[in-house]
Amino acid sequence: KFSEQGLHLAREIQHLPAEAANYYYRAVVCQQKGEWSRVVEDCRAGLDIAKRVRDPFRVYALTCLLGYGLFRLGEARRGIDTLQEGIRLAEQLGTKYLLAWAFSWLSDSYLVQRDFDAALESASRAQSLVVSGSDYYGESLAARCYGEALCQKDASRLAEAEEHIQRAIRLQQETGMRPQLGRSYVGYGRLLRVKGEVEKATEFLDRARTLFQELDMQWHLKRLAEVFG
């Protein structure tokens, strides 16, 4: 709602930097819902403007999110390359702001490809970039990605992986990050299945399903059904 209003206002007053920023904000919202075509569309629109007005920070942020959107649309190699390009832009700028998000998206992408070493390394980078209490979204995202990557890479470290995912869940519950909470419930359900706690795993997967239904997260509902039935 607010990103739509911001975009409308930016167009009305013909403020191009604000328009590029609001394309990014709307893309972030679409990313949480799994509306990947809209993510890519908005990122490309925002990038076109950000490059014209020479806003390097916005170019970096939009490039990272574009990469994640492309990956989720099935363009795996192009998506990861674009994400990595965005991370390089951040390093050239010398900024760490929002960089934990980018490394978490990269970790998510590697997890899908079952490249657990790369997923864990990316999640570790994400965790190193967040200062506790300064970016709850990035902090919880990094914790969940690290826990999921560790769970799938090393079954002997399940207790450690569980601590990270539980930390993500606590942060998301405390701050009302319901879309990401649903994602963390899925990750926790997967971990509990690995531990052999099938009944408890089902409980958390059901919680995720309920949240996805309430928030109209259709892509996530479909993916949940495909993976867990």
Side-chain angles (χ1 to χ4, degrees):
K1 177 182 176 181
F2 295 113
S3 58
E4 294 281 0
Q5 290 173 346
L7 192 55
H8 177 75
L9 181 59
R11 288 169 176 163
E12 191 173 283
I13 64 175
Q14 298 183 334
H15 192 287
L16 290 176
E19 188 175 349
N22 279 282
Y23 270 120
Y24 176 76
Y25 301 146
R26 190 168 71 176
V28 168
V29 173
C30 292
Q31 173 264 142
Q32 297 220 41
K33 294 190 71 174
E35 296 173 351
W36 303 112
S37 294
R38 291 193 65 191
V39 169
V40 169
E41 182 181 328
D42 278 353
C43 284
R44 284 175 170 160
L47 267 172
D48 179 63
I49 296 169
K51 288 176 179 177
R52 278 193 280 136
V53 299
R54 299 183 181 180
D55 182 347
F57 174 81
R58 198 63 58 191
V59 169
Y60 133 64
L62 283 158
T63 299
C64 290
L65 186 48
L66 173 63
Y68 191 43
L70 288 169
F71 182 89
R72 287 299 190 181
L73 278 178
E75 298 186 48
R77 186 67 266 163
R78 189 179 176 194
I80 286 176
D81 287 347
T82 303
L83 248 171
Q84 291 172 331
E85 178 191 347
I87 289 169
R88 284 193 296 271
L89 289 173
E91 291 168 347
Q92 290 168 13
L93 287 170
T95 184
K96 294 181 180 179
Y97 185 60
L98 301 182
L99 195 51
W101 299 20
F103 274 108
S104 295
W105 294 333
L106 188 59
S107 177
D108 247 356
S109 302
Y110 284 132
L111 272 176
V112 172
Q113 294 190 316
R114 302 186 66 78
D115 187 343
F116 302 135
D117 288 326
L120 191 61
E121 180 183 351
S122 297
S124 181
R125 285 290 304 276
Q127 287 203 306
S128 73
L129 289 162
V130 291
V131 178
S132 181
S134 65
D135 174 12
Y136 291 121
Y137 181 85
E139 189 177 346
S140 70
L141 194 62
R144 191 259 300 165
C145 287
Y146 189 89
E148 285 201 80
L150 189 58
C151 168
Q152 296 187 59
K153 173 179 165 55
D154 189 349
S156 69
R157 297 172 68 186
L158 286 181
E160 183 184 349
E162 186 169 14
E163 287 178 8
H164 285 280
I165 297 178
Q166 286 177 334
R167 179 161 160 262
I169 288 172
R170 282 195 303 272
L171 280 170
Q172 289 155 358
Q173 288 175 332
E174 290 167 3
T175 55
M177 291 184 280
R178 298 178 75 215
Q180 285 305 313
L181 180 59
R183 297 280 312 275
S184 293
Y185 283 160
V186 173
Y188 195 36
R190 180 183 285 110
L191 182 146
L192 290 167
R193 279 194 170 191
V194 174
K195 288 179 67 178
E197 298 180 26
V198 178
E199 187 174 333
K200 191 174 179 182
T202 300
E203 175 192 335
F204 276 90
L205 294 172
D206 286 344
R207 288 189 193 182
R209 186 175 292 106
T210 298
L211 269 178
F212 294 158
Q213 289 170 341
E214 290 175 355
L215 298 169
D216 194 28
M217 296 170 65
Q218 295 301 318
W219 183 86
H220 293 281
L221 275 171
K222 182 180 178 183
R223 183 168 171 79
L224 184 64
E226 290 172 349
V227 177
F228 296 104

